Amino acid sequence: MSVRLPSSTATRTTTNKAAAATPAVTAPPAGLRKGDTGPKVKQLQDALVKLGYLTKAQVATGPGTFGAQTEAAVKKFQGDKKLPTTGYYGEQTQAALKKALGGTPTTPTTPTTPGAKPPVISAPSPNSDSRNGADIDTIVLHHTASNDGKADLSWMRNPDSKVSAHYMVDRDGKIYQLVGDDKRAWHAGKSELHGVPTDVNGRSIGIEIVNDGSGKTAFTEAQYKALTQLTSHLKEKYDVPMKNIVGHADVAVPKGRKNDPAPNFDWTRLRKGIS
């Protein structure tokens, strides 16, 4: 004998089955950019569809491909959440996406707007070229190899030196900007990031700290204060992962070619100040 369920019970049963059949839409891991492909990109697209930043028809033309439409949707989402509109799906954007989808971020979120940029002194250097469209996702710290900021600044502004950095932090804490953030400064040379050969100059901001690099000359209080404020601003503005805030020693090839910023540089102090 069949038993007819009450209409309300039948409706609940159908709804529960549909809910069970539909997987939850979640935010993928951070680190996606235009040109990437695969299931993580599809996961990002599904999340953007759910939030109304992409349509199913748009995704159908390139499922799992991070193309122009997906980049535009990420930028729109970032703009709505008061994030830097880079189009790069980094840690900040991931945290905001998790929150928008109703989840709880598993990693601490950073402020939604970049911290104030500290005062800088303009000292343009001709030693730069184009990033060729590369996004900024790395910050590299250097020592100037001397304790004479005036001479160091002059050398990086000399066309014959063929070296430069975006910023130089002098012994008194003054910050000089030699190359605009949008340009590729010449500071890292032959390099790799986390063991992968890459054009570090093309994707990074280079910061020179006036210090001889011997490990015997202390970095000044004024330098740590200025460097913390500058690095914090750049990290937030360009959504740079903490693991990509490195010294020249970490990226130079071959290993051991450089020791920057210096053996006595207090990385713990800087990272605590940034976080």
Side-chain angles (χ1 to χ4, degrees):
M1 181 178 71
S2 63
V3 179
R4 183 180 179 84
L5 294 173
S7 59
S8 60
T9 302
T11 300
R12 286 199 301 272
T13 301
T14 302
T15 301
N16 289 341
K17 285 182 179 179
T22 304
V25 177
T26 57
L32 300 173
R33 65 178 72 238
K34 189 175 180 181
D36 288 345
T37 59
K40 291 179 182 178
V41 175
K42 179 61 165 60
Q43 186 180 351
L44 173 61
Q45 291 171 329
D46 289 342
L48 293 169
V49 168
K50 180 176 180 179
L51 297 175
Y53 290 91
L54 280 173
T55 66
K56 290 183 178 180
Q58 287 175 320
V59 172
T61 64
T65 299
F66 199 132
Q69 290 182 326
T70 300
E71 182 184 46
V74 170
K75 286 183 177 181
K76 179 66 166 61
F77 175 78
Q78 290 170 329
D80 288 349
K81 300 303 177 183
K82 304 295 189 295
L83 299 173
T85 53
T86 61
Y88 170 70
Y89 178 73
E91 292 177 353
Q92 269 188 288
T93 307
Q94 181 203 30
L97 190 63
K98 283 184 178 181
K99 185 175 181 181
L101 292 169
T104 302
T106 57
T107 55
T109 57
T110 51
T112 56
T113 55
K117 183 176 182 177
V120 300
I121 301 168
S122 179
S125 169
N127 302 333
S128 68
D129 54 14
S130 171
R131 290 189 183 274
N132 293 319
D135 291 328
I136 297 167
D137 67 357
T138 304
I139 298 171
V140 182
L141 305 186
H142 305 259
H143 63 68
T144 59
S146 92
N147 296 316
D148 186 344
K150 184 176 180 180
D152 294 330
L153 194 65
S154 177
W155 178 242
M156 287 188 286
R157 299 180 70 191
N158 184 339
D160 293 335
S161 73
K162 294 182 171 54
V163 296
S164 64
H166 294 89
Y167 300 93
M168 188 192 83
V169 181
D170 210 341
R171 303 286 295 168
D172 58 4
K174 289 179 181 176
I175 304 172
Y176 296 84
Q177 181 154 18
L178 293 87
V179 176
D181 291 3
D182 60 323
K183 295 291 186 180
R184 178 180 178 274
W186 305 340
H187 58 95
K190 187 177 181 181
S191 51
E192 61 186 19
L193 185 64
H194 308 308
V196 180
T198 185
D199 178 15
V200 171
N201 281 339
R203 62 194 294 178
S204 69
I205 295 285
I207 303 175
E208 291 277 357
I209 312 165
V210 178
N211 186 285
D212 60 18
S214 65
K216 299 177 181 179
T217 302
F219 293 84
T220 68
E221 289 295 314
Q223 283 180 315
Y224 278 118
K225 182 177 179 180
L227 185 64
T228 298
Q229 189 176 355
L230 175 62
T231 307
S232 180
H233 164 77
L234 294 169
K235 178 186 185 299
E236 294 173 23
K237 183 175 182 179
Y238 297 111
D239 202 12
V240 176
M242 187 68 81
K243 68 178 182 179
N244 283 8
I245 300 176
V246 295
H248 197 181
D250 300 308
V251 299
V253 176
K255 289 292 184 184
R257 181 169 69 86
K258 295 289 183 178
N259 74 337
D260 307 44
N264 63 331
F265 181 77
D266 193 343
W267 278 106
T268 299
R269 174 174 179 171
L270 177 68
R271 289 182 175 125
K272 282 184 177 179
I274 295 170
S275 61

